[in-house]
């Protein structure tokens, strides 16, 4: 089995399973969990994680962002319900119908195109009706025009309405006033649909990770768990106590060079760091080409031999330097932890997000294809995904 030395990410599938059970404990048994695994599972790998969730009966299916993401899950043998959260271009409808992948629907044009495609294929197309309760992104309005849309969708025999959903814009903030307002618009609309249209089998869903943690009443028939699956937090403001989550991804490298620098030496492009005393400096073969943010220049740190080694100078595309003056025994080949734990120290995606002025979601998604993902269970490697093969 190939061994990776330059840079690799380890994904702990046991921690992933523990996160799911923790989420299940918070959500309770009345609502199903939809695993949001768009953008290749927020960079962690959609297929290996979906494989773990296939066996969990409380996970009812998966949400993705594009039809292609759905196709690659089906190709890998994933069988539970899959639907696309955003807009789907009509050219993908026929294949989605054949592969039982649902689409978000929210315009009359979509209904007729979807019904047309379903008629041509000879099978129903699954849809989730998107409702705009305040995000102003996609969705029908929760008013008379929306009711009319729901009636038309129901009347289309080629369409199977699987769900009706909305999305919160501010559920991750301490002040829940606007999330609550969105929720009450959604539940009033849901009640009108139940009373006036029926649709008893259709599942209503709105809760994202932040709402799962902080707004128990929003769980309805199903919740859409995204960032918390990966042990990451939707924001600093949500409840971090009652749902025990662990980050599932660690990022590692090895020191490739160590040198002693005298005072007055500049380090990396632009000479933005200058030694004021003699220093020991290690070179690490990772850079923004791997998705390690350049904004960490002169700010971030890595863990080496259980200690923090501050980043010196600019992050290059493929390399950067760190201060190991205070860390004895560092040499070519010493393990470097860029994200994760080493001894008593840890570096989280949230810390790097805050330092780099980016966002933990964004950091996870941007982890590069040059970084192989190694999946471990009970400490053993069970799968490797190497995008460069
Ligand atoms: C991405 C997304 C989610 C998941 O959001 P998290 O904050 O990661 O839980 C849920 N619903 C929709 C519509 C989304 O686009």
């Amino acid at each position: 089995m190939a061994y990776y030395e330059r840079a690799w990410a380890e994904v702990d599938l046991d921690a992933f399973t523990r996160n799911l059970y923790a989420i299940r404990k918070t959500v309770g048994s009345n609502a199903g969990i939809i695993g949001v695994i768009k953008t290749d599972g927020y960079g962690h790998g959609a297929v290996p994680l979906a494989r773990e969730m296939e066996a969990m009966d409380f996970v009812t299916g998966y949400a993705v962002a594009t039809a292609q993401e759905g196709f690659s899950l089906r190709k890998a043998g994933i069988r539970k319900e899959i639907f696309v959260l955003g807009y789907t271009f009509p050219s993908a409808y026929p294949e989605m119908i054949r592969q039982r992948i649902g689409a978000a629907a929210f315009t009359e044009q979509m209904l007729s195109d979807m019904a047309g495609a379903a008629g041509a294929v000879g099978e129903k197309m699954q849809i989730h009706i998107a409702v705009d309760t305040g995000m102003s992104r996609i969705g029908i309005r929760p008013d008379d025009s929306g009711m009319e849309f729901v009636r038309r969708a129901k009347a289309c025999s080629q369409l199977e309405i699987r769900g009706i959903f909305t999305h919160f814009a501010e559920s991750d903030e301490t002040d829940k006033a606007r999330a609550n307002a969105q929720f009450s618009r959604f539940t009033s609309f849901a009640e009108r649909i139940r009373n006036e249209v029926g649709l008893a089998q259709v599942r209503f869903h709105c809760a994202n990770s932040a709402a799962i943690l902080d707004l128990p009443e929003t769980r309805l028939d199903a919740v859409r768990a995204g960032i918390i699956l990966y042990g990451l937090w939707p924001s600093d403001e949500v409840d971090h106590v009652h749902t025990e989550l662990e980050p599932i991804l660690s990022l590692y490298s090895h020191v490739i060079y160590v040198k002693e620098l005298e005072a007055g030496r500049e380090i990396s492009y632009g000479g933005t760091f200058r030694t004021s005393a003699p220093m020991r400096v290690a070179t690490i073969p990772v850079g923004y080409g791997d998705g390690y943010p350049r904004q960490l220049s002169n700010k971030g740190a890595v863990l080496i031999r259980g200690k923090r080694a501050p980043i010196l100078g600019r992050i290059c595309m493929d390399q950067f330097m760190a201060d190991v003056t205070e860390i004895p025994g560092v040499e070519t080949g010493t393990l470097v932890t860029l994200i994760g734990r080493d001894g008593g120290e840890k570096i989280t995606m949230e810390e790097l997000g805050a330092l780099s002025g980016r966002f933990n979601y964004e950091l996870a998604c941007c982890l590069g294809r040059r970084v192989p993902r190694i999946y471990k269970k009970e400490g053993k490697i069970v799968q490797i995904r190497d995008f460069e093969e």
Side-chain angles (χ1 to χ4, degrees):
M1 196 174 270
Y3 184 65
Y4 294 97
E5 296 167 302
R6 187 190 70 84
W8 72 101
E10 284 186 16
V11 178
D12 179 348
L13 294 174
D14 299 309
F16 180 69
T17 299
R18 288 193 292 274
N19 287 343
L20 268 139
Y21 279 91
I23 297 164
R24 165 68 164 176
K25 198 165 150 231
T26 295
V27 168
S29 56
N30 293 328
I33 295 175
I34 297 165
V36 181
I37 49 176
K38 57 194 181 188
T39 316
D40 198 22
Y42 295 40
H44 294 69
V47 168
L49 300 182
R51 284 208 181 108
E52 296 301 306
M53 290 188 281
E54 285 285 272
M56 300 173 188
D57 58 1
F58 52 84
V59 177
T60 58
Y62 314 102
V64 293
T66 69
Q68 283 307 327
E69 291 176 346
F71 299 151
S72 64
L73 288 168
R74 285 283 183 252
K75 197 169 157 205
I78 300 303
R79 305 190 61 86
K80 285 182 181 172
E81 177 172 3
I82 298 173
F83 72 97
V84 176
L85 291 161
Y87 175 78
T88 303
F89 290 84
S91 57
Y93 295 167
E95 196 52 32
M96 289 172 83
I97 295 161
R98 284 190 282 269
Q99 300 200 25
R100 292 181 304 106
I101 294 168
F106 49 94
T107 67
E108 300 283 341
Q109 185 66 46
M110 289 177 189
L111 291 184
S112 62
D113 290 348
M114 287 172 182
V121 173
E123 278 172 61
K124 288 191 180 194
M125 178 149 185
Q126 302 184 350
I127 61 167
H128 286 249
I129 296 175
V131 183
D132 182 5
T133 55
M135 174 91 173
S136 308
R137 190 167 67 176
I138 58 168
I140 58 169
R141 294 195 161 234
D143 58 13
D144 291 342
S145 70
M147 287 301 297
E148 187 50 34
F149 179 91
V150 174
R151 278 194 199 91
R152 286 213 187 147
K154 190 195 174 194
C156 251
S157 60
Q158 291 99 338
L159 301 181
E160 181 191 351
I161 306 174
R162 303 275 311 170
I164 299 181
F165 73 105
T166 194
H167 190 50
F168 293 117
E170 298 166 51
S171 52
D172 59 337
E173 297 174 11
T174 309
D175 179 354
K176 303 293 189 208
R178 276 187 287 238
N180 286 328
Q182 276 194 271
F183 183 61
S184 74
R185 272 175 225 131
F186 188 58
T187 49
S188 316
F189 189 56
E191 208 174 288
R192 267 191 84 183
I193 293 171
R194 294 273 200 229
N195 291 338
E196 297 174 31
V197 189
L199 296 176
Q201 304 303 314
V202 169
R203 294 191 305 160
F204 287 83
H205 51 97
C206 62
N208 56 2
S209 292
I212 290 171
L213 299 176
D214 282 4
L215 296 167
E217 65 282 7
T218 64
R219 287 166 195 155
L220 304 182
D221 302 313
V223 300
R224 302 189 304 271
I227 198 84
I228 54 177
L229 295 176
Y230 314 99
L232 304 175
W233 297 97
S235 75
D236 291 342
E237 296 176 29
V238 298
D239 176 0
H240 281 48
V241 176
H242 291 99
T243 309
E244 270 180 56
L245 302 174
E246 307 162 57
I248 67 168
L249 182 142
S250 304
L251 179 63
Y252 299 108
S253 180
H254 288 115
V255 169
I256 52 108
Y257 185 49
V258 183
K259 67 243 159 222
E260 310 281 345
L261 294 182
E262 61 283 12
R265 285 283 298 268
E266 290 180 345
I267 295 178
S268 193
Y269 290 120
T272 59
F273 184 89
R274 176 188 282 262
T275 58
S276 53
M279 285 180 111
R280 291 192 87 212
V281 174
T283 303
I284 295 151
V286 175
Y288 60 80
D290 300 292
Y292 194 66
R294 185 170 180 270
Q295 295 92 325
L296 293 175
S297 300
N298 287 311
K299 282 189 195 159
V302 296
L303 305 179
I304 301 180
R305 297 178 62 94
K307 294 207 170 68
R308 285 185 169 254
I311 293 171
L312 303 176
R314 287 201 186 134
I315 308 271
C316 311
M317 190 185 295
D318 321 295
Q319 309 179 65
F320 67 91
M321 276 62 82
D323 179 7
V324 294
T325 312
E326 304 295 328
I327 309 175
V330 180
E331 55 190 27
T332 300
T334 302
L335 181 72
V336 180
T337 304
L338 295 95
I339 297 171
R341 288 178 181 279
D342 182 6
E345 283 283 353
K346 68 171 177 180
I347 293 178
T348 61
M349 218 64 97
E350 282 78 13
E351 176 186 337
L352 297 190
L355 275 176
S356 63
R358 286 171 71 184
F359 184 36
N360 56 346
Y361 287 62
E362 188 191 346
L363 288 187
C365 289
C366 293
L367 187 62
R369 292 174 62 80
R370 203 164 67 177
V371 179
R373 315 297 203 261
I374 294 181
Y375 296 87
K376 284 189 163 177
K377 248 185 196 176
E378 290 167 12
K380 289 202 196 68
I381 297 175
V382 292
Q383 195 189 338
I384 294 179
R385 282 176 86 205
D386 186 340
F387 300 99
E388 310 257 295
E389 264 171 11

